Amino acid sequence: RELGADAVLDVNSGTDLRTWLRAADGSLPDVVLEATGNPAAAVQAVEVVKVGGRVTLLGVFSGKTMPLDLDRVVLEEVSIRGFVGSPGVWPETIDYVERGLIQPGAIATHSFSLEQYAEAVELLKRRADNVIKVTIDTP
């Protein structure tokens, strides 16, 4: 909520996401973006998108796999798309940070020096110590 979300749900909480979403406004989303790289979140994205909807996977899963209901994908015509990068988004993102509209520090949980780069990457791969995002401080 501190980042501006109207509602927040921890995918590991055991809450039925479809019920939660329908309680919020009575509908399921047309599009679901999964940007965490958490396999449980990707599975839930496919489970909750409306019939004929689209799931876009932006997160990096670090080699982790997930069980996926492929019958739902086929029979309910759910489109799944992987996507890397965001062309042209950085100038606007930098502007938003400079104007204080977004606070990236809220999700940057760990900071490393350039010399600790390999340690930072390893932490992200293991998803240890409640890591969300790391920053690399350069001289």
Side-chain angles (χ1 to χ4, degrees), residues 9-20 40 44 47:
L9 177 68
D10 179 352
V11 299
N12 297 314
S13 70
T15 301
D16 178 67
L17 190 53
R18 287 187 133 215
T19 302
W20 184 81
Q44 284 191 339
E47 290 173 351

Side-chain angles (χ1 to χ4, degrees), residues 32-121:
V32 178
L33 304 176
E34 195 301 306
T36 67
N38 180 336
V43 169
Q44 284 191 339
V46 171
E47 290 173 351
V48 303
V49 72
K50 77 176 200 169
V51 172
R54 182 177 72 233
V55 174
T56 299
L57 303 175
L58 302 157
V60 176
F61 294 90
S62 300
K64 294 179 182 167
T65 60
M66 67 194 94
L68 190 60
D69 184 354
L70 296 176
D71 284 337
R72 179 161 203 284
V73 172
V74 173
L75 298 174
E76 296 186 11
E77 300 180 356
V78 172
S79 298
I80 302 174
R81 179 177 178 204
F83 189 76
V84 176
S86 304
V89 75
W90 292 112
E92 184 177 24
T93 302
I94 291 167
D95 178 56
Y96 284 2
V97 171
E98 288 174 344
R99 292 191 295 148
L101 299 175
I102 57 175
Q103 288 78 37
I107 62 170
T109 56
H110 295 72
S111 182
F112 293 87
S113 69
L114 188 56
E115 293 77 21
Q116 296 173 303
Y117 175 81
E119 182 182 340
V121 170

